[in-house]
Amino acid sequence: MVSHKQVSNLVFSRDMTVELVQDSASDQIVARSARVSTVGEKSLISNTDDSEISGLINFLLRERHGSPFEHSTFTFYVKAPIFVWREHMRHRMASYNEESGRYKELAPEFYVPSQDRKLVQTGKTGAYVFEEGTALQHAKMMKNYTETCSVAYNAYLDMLKVGIAKEVARGILPLNIYSSAYVTMNSRALMNFLSLRQSVEGSHFPSYPQREIEMVAEKYEAIFAEKMPLTYKSFVDNGRVAP
Amino acid sequence: MVSHKQVSNLVFSRDMTVELVQDSASDQIVARSARVSTVGEKSLISNTDDSEISGLINFLLRERHGSPFEHSTFTFYVKAPIFVWREHMRHRMASYNEESGRYKELAPEFYVPSQDRKLVQTGKTGAYVFEEGTALQHAKMMKNYTETCSVAYNAYLDMLKVGIAKEVARGILPLNIYSSAYVTMNSRALMNFLSLRQSVEGSHFPSYPQREIEMVAEKYEAIFAEKMPLTYKSFVDNGRVAP
Amino acid sequence: MVSHKQVSNLVFSRDMTVELVQDSASDQIVARSARVSTVGEKSLISNTDDSEISGLINFLLRERHGSPFEHSTFTFYVKAPIFVWREHMRHRMASYNEESGRYKELAPEFYVPSQDRKLVQTGKTGAYVFEEGTALQHAKMMKNYTETCSVAYNAYLDMLKVGIAKEVARGILPLNIYSSAYVTMNSRALMNFLSLRQSVEGSHFPSYPQREIEMVAEKYEAIFAEKMPLTYKSFVDNGRVAP
Amino acid sequence: MVSHKQVSNLVFSRDMTVELVQDSASDQIVARSARVSTVGEKSLISNTDDSEISGLINFLLRERHGSPFEHSTFTFYVKAPIFVWREHMRHRMASYNEESGRYKELAPEFYVPSQDRKLVQTGKTGAYVFEEGTALQHAKMMKNYTETCSVAYNAYLDMLKVGIAKEVARGILPLNIYSSAYVTMNSRALMNFLSLRQSVEGSHFPSYPQREIEMVAEKYEAIFAEKMPLTYKSFVDNGRVAP
């Protein structure tokens, strides 16, 4: 039997980490790059008054002129479980550098759903609705999560110890182990991500994301709202349709 | 303790599945699309003699004119463990539709390294060399793989049984569970994949892929060689540099 | 003065050429690739009855699940004036090989608007409305088009004749000279193109394309409708929103 | 006959404009994002000593690990003739917003080759060599360029004057008219551009770009060298192979 002795080292976390590493994002560059189409070179020295550009930005979002939103970029440091990364990396309009299970011994930090994570799905494929789990379901989930992670991580260490390569040993680690990465996206790609990976009342096109990737999206959204407030407002006002 | 009773249902496999679902790939379309640059419309009715186009295709590959290779597309059905998909999906110039752990109860099929999978890495990060594992290492690996998969899959079923959502229960499944997907790539993207995901003597730029994704690449390569023999020959003759 | 003598050689055309060179497009592959998410391997042998898959395809388009439409590809041969290519090549999700003005003497074929091309724009930037031109406007346009093309093409030939490189001589050719290219797009990118490059009553998001690229889009649309009838019907039924 | 009277307004230029509008580019972010693969979170606080990271950056470029170079972005304002834009926009890994001939009356500024632009091509398709033009060839070129531009621009204004839409009138403007755009590229895409659009002694893969796009590339390169000196040095040292 795989030993359970090292269970005490495991960390179980309920949260996602999103930090802004750098950005070149602003409402101003949206307006300037859009204005080049009508005024050419003068866009470089164009007036930067917010009240003037908010109308332009709203027009661009409403009419789905997406390219002016591609000049604003964000680089995030993100820590999330692998099953979230699996969904995240389906977004191809982004740049990724991730922690490597081939080069690095992976740390024993595992995601476990919190008490307010709804556990029961109803409705049909593609449009699930989620409901609260019972205390029993939460207890079962917690037990099975922690025990499986413990078994798996100890089996992993056990293989490393006898000299088996990291890339082989990691094969039996579970999908809820955390991994970290740098992610760079422009604001057009980011709005696409936010529109698909959050379920928000009033969205023009409803989405049914898994809760855990939505937690990442919410953190992206807060940073986006701060860095590009006019673009963000228009995005929300226009039903969260990515241009 | 998580029960082990259902262990008998588990399938352990050592192989990757790659099937060609459809293609629009040919050496001819490479030649035609390249010729449009010098003869325009006449490319549509241009001579299709292999001996004539092999020189052109070789020139394109040698000089790294990549765009004529983008008109040939392949759609594959692929079954591979999730840790392979994780690497595969870093290739963004491709289209993917994958089995969903949110919508579908995942089948208990797990990858386990075969006897000839080298288990011990030496050398430095980014350029590992692999050596045979000992009998002891193989035994340890096999034991830890099968036991962990059994624990994890039973914990998964156990959560499903009490009504916990599939997307939550799958969190503790291991990275070596198989998943299947449709993958569409053009021949330019495919050559990039083959060049990075295989370690082949005589390559102009050496690569150090994980063995398991190389197994997928080898199957892609056999299909590519059959469908586009002139392109394939030039790719190999020119040191496997993707154009 | 630049000589006008060779004016008789010039060809003035009013149309766009679109020919389907090859495709791997079908409603069936949309359904199969979508089904992999719920049935995995069984998608390969799934029932192919049209009545059964039309509901699935409609669901995918309505809910904006775009990836299953990426496995169907079309390769077109297109001849259009350069100002159309300038707009066309802003679509980055496509593969292009075009006639080269560096390698090839360009033929004297020029686009000239037909009698029913509306010549007068009203309304505001980004949402122009077009009205019929007067006979005088048409005459003026025709005269200026033909004369300028003649001057420009003769100046081009004149430079070639004295040994000036093609890539230098072509600098003064007008934007309405025809150029031909191979274009490969998947059906998701194609729907995006059709949605943006045609002005169709009842579209969920209105577009204001230039008439000449719309002429290309109309020819693409006819081929798309024939090759993927169920997808096409759903695209139209759902307000021509590209998924 | 089209009138020549407004010829005096025309501007003939010999140069390309490239201005850096904004960037989030640095050698540091290359190193940090690369280090995440081996040290995870610690990459955020990793030492930023140049001597330490130059070896890492050189390793990444030599081994063609391209993704760490995708987090550094540059936004340029560029003014160039349309025939240059035609080549530039074939680079799809970039974001563009360009002056619009549909929305804006285009200014009468035209590119004309300078005295040191080599006018005569020898060698074969795809690998042309250029030689000095004779005085006669330069005179012929200058005459044909200036006269054709004058005819074309006056025909353009003449159509605008009678109320013909800008998008129709611009059809006969020549390919050497200047247009301006905002261009955003990451440093990986930029190295690809520099490698293909410059002819530099000692390049591992030789390129044969048209001189005019090379003039743009040279200006990009100067900015790149200043913002990412270690990356630039490694790019040059490794034969200008884009990773």
Side-chain angles (χ1 to χ4, degrees), chain A residues 38 59 62-65 67 70 90 92-93 124-127 188 195-196 204-206 208 241-242, chain C residues 38 59 62-65 67 70 90 92-93 124-127 188 195-196 204-206 208 241-242:
Chain A
T38 49
F59 162 81
R62 198 186 64 230
E63 302 290 318
R64 304 182 80 211
H65 292 295
S67 54
E70 295 181 19
R90 299 296 302 275
R92 290 161 292 186
M93 297 294 117
K124 53 182 185 164
T125 301
R188 185 182 195 180
S195 133
L196 290 169
H204 188 83
F205 297 108
Y208 304 93
V241 178
Chain C
T38 49
F59 162 80
R62 197 186 65 229
E63 301 290 318
R64 303 181 81 210
H65 293 294
S67 54
E70 295 182 20
R90 299 297 301 276
R92 289 161 292 187
M93 296 294 116
K124 52 182 186 164
T125 301
R188 184 182 195 179
S195 134
L196 290 170
H204 189 84
F205 297 108
Y208 303 92
V241 178

Side-chain angles (χ1 to χ4, degrees), chain B residues 12-70:
Chain B
F12 292 99
S13 304
R14 287 161 173 73
D15 209 4
M16 308 296 159
T17 304
V18 172
E19 289 178 28
L20 182 64
V21 175
Q22 64 174 15
D23 72 276
S24 64
S26 70
D27 292 322
Q28 294 299 333
I29 192 69
V30 174
R32 282 186 180 188
S33 61
R35 275 182 181 150
V36 78
S37 67
T38 49
V39 303
E41 196 161 0
K42 283 181 204 129
S43 61
L44 286 170
I45 48 161
S46 63
N47 192 305
T48 59
D49 184 34
D50 271 10
S51 68
E52 200 189 330
I53 66 176
S54 70
L56 172 57
I57 288 174
N58 198 53
F59 162 81
L60 295 171
L61 267 165
R62 197 186 64 229
E63 302 291 317
R64 304 182 80 210
H65 293 294
S67 54
F69 299 98
E70 295 181 18

